[in-house]
Amino acid sequence: MTELERHPVPAAVDVEGWALAVDGAVDHPIELDRSDLESLPSVSLTDDFACEEGWVAEDLTWRGVRVDAILDRVDPVPGSEYGLVSAMDGDYACSFPLDRLRDCVLAVELDGAELGVAHGGPARLVPPADGRDCWESVKWVAGIRLLERAPTDGDTARDHALSRLD
Ligand SMILES: Nc1nc2c(c(=O)[nH]1)N[C@H]1C(S)=C(S)[C@@H](COP(=O)(O)O)O[C@H]1N2
Ligand SMILES: [Mo]
């Protein structure tokens, strides 16, 4: 079975009119479209991506915007400590301590080309490789919601990912 057969693009993923909502415990909620994202400073990083299922995709070069640069635009309230990153495929979402989320890159390019929908385009979260779980790399990112406390529900990514393992 190929990787794309294991991880097909769900029907709920609709990239037309895509925009990223950044809201929650912030002073200035915003919505960014592709050109807004392109106007922010970008960074590149190259690493391997390993999945709990036992495969590794080597030497991937991502380009995108550090979440830090996005959060600077919304002015998180002082008590903001977590971020819940949600996706277009149903209730898939993953929470992060805010400091770690700031270090993630919201990737819009993979290996020098626009990030295709097959791999999570228009925008995919790429957390720092150190201590990263595969399900934290949220594909088809639709929202970043800042929270003052760790979410007690809605943080579904791990369950979704592990439910695919036998
Ligand atoms: N929105 C969303 N993101 C997701 C997933 C998912 O099901 N939905 N699966 C995760 C898991 S477990 C893995 S291993 C990778 C797979 O990425 P790939 O399809 O580019 O190989 O996406 C991660 N991000
Ligand atoms: Mo995974």
Side-chain angles (χ1 to χ4, degrees), residues 7 51-53 55 134-135 161 164:
H7 296 162
C51 170
E52 201 74 12
E53 291 165 359
W55 49 264
C134 59
W135 55 82
R164 288 197 291 253

Side-chain angles (χ1 to χ4, degrees), residues 83-94:
L84 186 65
V85 178
S86 59
M88 287 188 267
D89 51 335
D91 64 354
Y92 195 100
C94 190

Side-chain angles (χ1 to χ4, degrees), residues 32-163:
L32 299 174
D33 62 19
R34 288 172 196 251
S35 63
D36 297 326
L37 262 192
E38 281 295 340
S39 72
L40 294 172
S42 73
V43 295
S44 289
L45 66 100
T46 300
D47 62 21
D48 297 345
F49 186 83
C51 170
E52 201 74 12
E53 291 165 359
W55 49 264
V56 181
E58 289 181 342
D59 229 19
L60 305 176
T61 298
W62 305 97
R63 191 184 70 84
V65 176
R66 269 174 57 87
V67 173
D68 202 27
I70 296 172
L71 296 186
D72 281 349
R73 300 272 307 274
V74 296
D75 295 325
V77 302
S80 258
E81 299 281 359
Y82 293 87
L84 186 65
V85 178
S86 59
M88 287 188 267
D89 51 335
D91 64 354
Y92 195 100
C94 190
S95 86
F96 297 85
L98 201 56
D99 286 345
R100 183 141 181 274
L101 183 58
R102 285 186 180 281
D103 285 339
C104 298
V105 170
L106 191 67
V108 295
E109 271 185 21
L110 174 59
D111 293 334
E114 185 176 277
L115 179 61
V117 68
H119 285 302
R124 174 177 185 152
L125 193 75
V126 181
D130 190 23
R132 173 176 68 201
D133 290 312
C134 59
W135 55 82
E136 295 178 325
S137 181
V138 181
K139 298 185 281 190
W140 315 298
V141 172
I144 301 177
R145 173 153 298 167
L146 270 57
L147 303 163
E148 298 186 57
R149 275 172 287 281
T152 50
D153 54 22
D155 185 359
T156 61
R158 182 174 192 275
D159 291 346
H160 278 294
L162 296 184
S163 73

